[in-house]
Amino acid sequence: MVHTMKPTNFIALAGAVAALTGCKENKVEENTRPNIIFILADDMGYGDLSCYGNKYIQTPVIDKLAETGTRFTQCYAGSGISSPSRCALMTGKNTGNTTIRDNFAEAGGIEGLKGTNTIRRMHLLPTDTTIATVLSAAGYRTCLVNKWHLDGFNPEATPLNRGFDEFYGWLISTAYSNDPYYYPYWRFDNDTLRNIEENAQDQRIKHNTDISTEDAIQFIRRNQENPFFLYLAYDAPHEPYVINETDWYDDEDWDMDTKRYAALITHMDAAIGRLLAELDELGLRENTMVIFSSDNGAAVQAPLEELGCNASFRGHKGQLYEGGIRIPFIVNQPGSVPVQTLANQIYFPDVLPTLAAIGNADTPSDLNGMDVSPLFYGDQVDTDNRLLYWEFPGKQRAARKGDWKVVTIKKDAPLELYNIREDMSESTDLATQYPEMVEAFEKEMKAMRKPSPNWPLPGEEI
């Protein structure tokens, strides 16, 4: 049995492409631009990798990427949860300007169900320019594998409607396309729903991490003669923690959820190893930039204390403290990206302009992010003397500039102020000592954001 969606909205896509403006002078030369693979984990904490200090979880493949490439220690997600973070990643805008600012919309959007609860979700619009739109216009073949999470309840807001040439995975708007989680029976093959027969009748045989990796490898094989952009968005280690194979940790004195959490990460690590081996086999490794990151910090359901998922940071997924938004970010390309560890402050809105520069593509003019690609090649660029901004409208706000960060995770609560360089755990609030600094932050934060019809604030004109 197959289900087919409506065709791609080519008119809207053409409009998004037309919104692109002139490119920078120092872009990568046409004949040297690499293939790009962006790998995104789901709810994996900053401290879940050995190369970021974890003492329990085995991640030899990702660790090797860090050891032989560039590792960032002060990278931030676009938000503390999935949809707004991925929207910031895809569009180059922060959550004061993005179309999607929270998982659930206060107004607008489309109404649907989450379990038995009626909620509203907003989706990416045809007018939103994405990384895929930009790189497709520059001649890249673009593909999303697995998790999109930017369609809301709109079946016409799929990756194929927003710049991607190919899509293999699941959608919010078609809830059963990822049911059961990690061992799905239904899965999109571009615009058609197909069955994973190994998982028929609720059998747990073929794990979604393996399905996604196979889809990614097949895409690379088909496009090895073309420049390509592969966005591989795994589910791991998002809860529920479901995986048959826990051999790596069976001897540990942990509860089963802790073993499965660690196993989901190690299993993903091994899958990335298969992907890299395929690049080697095809002779593509030296001309392929591989980036690894996570969409936000570890969830409250994760073994935060037992495994040190969020390192020494305060908070977790869903919060704008460091534990909710500080994430790993690793860039690797043999012979091009040097071995280095960088403390430059970067965040998800930087990814679109950066990949556009690397791909010799035109960059939209209305972005919040900046091109940080010089850092990937051993050069310097000042990323720290600017305002990084996050919000859950009407609920939480945060901003960072230089060594300083302000944050509040409670509605209408005053901003807290921290010197992150000296106090990474956000334990000493200095707001009362430096009220003029808090006031300056407040002024910049208000100037940063634009009103949203989907998250209206009291007294705010849309």
Side-chain angles (χ1 to χ4, degrees):
M1 181 178 182
V2 297
H3 292 179
T4 303
M5 298 188 300
K6 293 183 179 180
T8 303
N9 188 338
F10 290 107
I11 296 176
L13 180 57
V17 172
L20 303 181
T21 62
C23 42
K24 297 187 177 182
E25 294 180 1
N26 60 348
K27 292 184 302 184
V28 176
E29 292 296 328
E30 185 74 21
N31 61 352
T32 61
R33 60 183 186 161
N35 304 311
I36 303 168
I37 299 178
F38 194 100
I39 303 172
L40 192 69
D42 196 344
D43 289 5
M44 192 191 75
Y46 180 94
D48 275 332
L49 300 173
S50 296
C51 54
Y52 282 86
N54 193 278
K55 298 178 181 179
Y56 308 101
I57 303 174
Q58 301 170 34
T59 52
V61 175
I62 299 171
D63 294 341
K64 187 67 177 293
L65 289 175
E67 291 165 10
T68 59
T70 293
R71 179 176 69 98
F72 286 86
T73 60
Q74 295 197 83
C75 178
Y76 290 94
S79 180
I81 54 176
S82 184
S83 290
S85 186
R86 292 161 193 261
C87 187
L89 174 71
M90 281 289 104
T91 64
K93 298 181 180 181
N94 63 39
T95 44
N97 292 271
T98 47
T99 299
I100 302 173
R101 305 188 183 189
D102 203 338
N103 274 358
F104 310 137
E106 298 294 331
I110 296 175
E111 193 174 87
L113 292 176
K114 183 177 176 63
T116 58
N117 297 320
T118 299
I119 61 170
R120 307 191 73 85
R121 288 188 187 267
M122 187 52 195
H123 51 275
L124 211 59
L125 295 171
T127 51
D128 286 315
T129 301
T130 68
I131 294 173
T133 312
V134 169
L135 292 179
S136 288
Y140 275 74
R141 184 74 177 174
T142 58
C143 177
L144 167 65
V145 171
N146 199 48
K147 182 174 179 178
W148 178 230
H149 226 253
L150 300 177
D151 56 311
F153 294 119
N154 184 352
E156 295 184 5
T158 76
L160 300 178
N161 303 112
R162 301 295 183 265
F164 284 94
D165 298 309
E166 300 183 35
F167 165 55
Y168 308 93
W170 62 275
L171 297 171
I172 295 173
S173 54
T174 311
Y176 61 91
S177 60
N178 196 35
D179 186 32
Y181 211 73
Y182 285 120
Y183 290 94
Y185 176 57
W186 295 95
R187 188 172 178 84
F188 277 102
D189 178 342
N190 288 306
D191 62 356
T192 301
L193 270 168
R194 301 193 184 278
N195 295 137
I196 308 299
E197 295 299 341
E198 293 91 334
N199 294 335
Q201 299 177 334
D202 294 327
Q203 297 183 90
R204 294 182 177 181
I205 299 208
K206 200 160 189 178
H207 198 274
N208 198 35
T209 295
D210 296 318
I211 298 169
S212 298
T213 305
E214 291 175 11
D215 287 337
I217 287 173
Q218 291 303 318
F219 169 77
I220 292 169
R221 287 176 179 171
R222 289 193 304 273
N223 292 281
Q224 58 185 292
E225 301 299 327
N226 310 309
F228 62 79
F229 167 61
L230 169 63
Y231 173 30
L232 175 53
Y234 286 116
D235 286 336
H238 193 289
E239 55 86 24
Y241 308 130
V242 180
I243 185 170
N244 295 337
E245 186 181 4
T246 59
D247 299 1
W248 305 280
Y249 305 105
D250 285 346
D251 293 336
E252 299 289 348
D253 186 22
W254 302 341
D255 63 42
M256 280 309 299
D257 265 355
T258 300
K259 291 180 181 180
R260 292 187 184 111
Y261 181 87
L264 283 166
I265 294 174
T266 302
H267 179 231
M268 175 177 62
D269 183 83
I272 294 170
R274 293 199 301 277
L275 185 77
L276 297 177
E278 185 68 25
L279 292 175
D280 286 332
E281 181 69 22
L282 296 174
L284 297 176
R285 187 66 187 91
E286 290 189 358
N287 194 42
T288 302
M289 177 175 287
V290 177
I291 301 173
F292 178 86
S293 192
S294 178
D295 67 338
N296 45 249
V300 68
Q301 299 95 331
L304 300 175
E305 297 299 325
E306 190 165 9
L307 298 186
C309 302
N310 285 335
S312 61
F313 299 131
R314 181 180 181 179
H316 49 72
K317 174 185 176 179
Q319 296 180 337
L320 297 181
Y321 288 125
E322 295 288 287
I325 56 176
R326 182 89 74 99
I327 52 170
F329 196 90
I330 299 165
V331 184
N332 188 289
Q333 185 184 351
S336 296
V337 174
V339 176
Q340 56 183 347
T341 297
L342 299 179
N344 298 75
Q345 295 163 32
I346 64 172
Y347 73 152
F348 272 8
D350 297 333
V351 174
L352 188 155
T354 298
L355 297 191
I358 290 168
N360 202 30
D362 291 347
T363 306
S365 59
D366 57 344
L367 304 183
N368 300 124
M370 63 180 290
D371 172 18
V372 299
S373 62
L375 297 174
F376 295 3
Y377 299 111
D379 297 325
Q380 282 300 310
V381 59
D382 183 6
T383 64
D384 298 355
N385 292 306
R386 57 175 176 149
L387 189 80
L388 310 184
Y389 180 78
W390 303 265
E391 68 172 53
F392 289 112
K395 302 173 184 176
Q396 300 185 43
R397 294 184 299 148
R400 178 154 184 200
K401 189 173 186 179
D403 293 339
W404 296 89
K405 178 183 174 184
V406 290
V407 57
T408 178
I409 65 166
K410 296 180 181 179
K411 184 178 180 180
D412 298 327
L415 290 172
E416 303 159 18
L417 175 68
Y418 301 100
N419 185 315
I420 298 299
R421 181 171 57 85
E422 298 178 356
D423 180 22
M424 288 193 300
S425 61
E426 293 168 294
S427 58
T428 304
D429 180 5
L430 301 173
T432 57
Q433 289 183 236
Y434 301 103
E436 72 287 350
M437 187 177 294
V438 175
E439 185 178 349
F441 262 111
E442 189 74 76
K443 184 177 180 180
E444 281 198 76
M445 292 166 76
K446 287 181 179 178
M448 175 64 75
R449 73 179 310 277
K450 295 179 180 178
S452 167
N454 304 295
W455 287 272
L457 299 181
E460 193 173 57
E461 293 186 10
I462 305 299

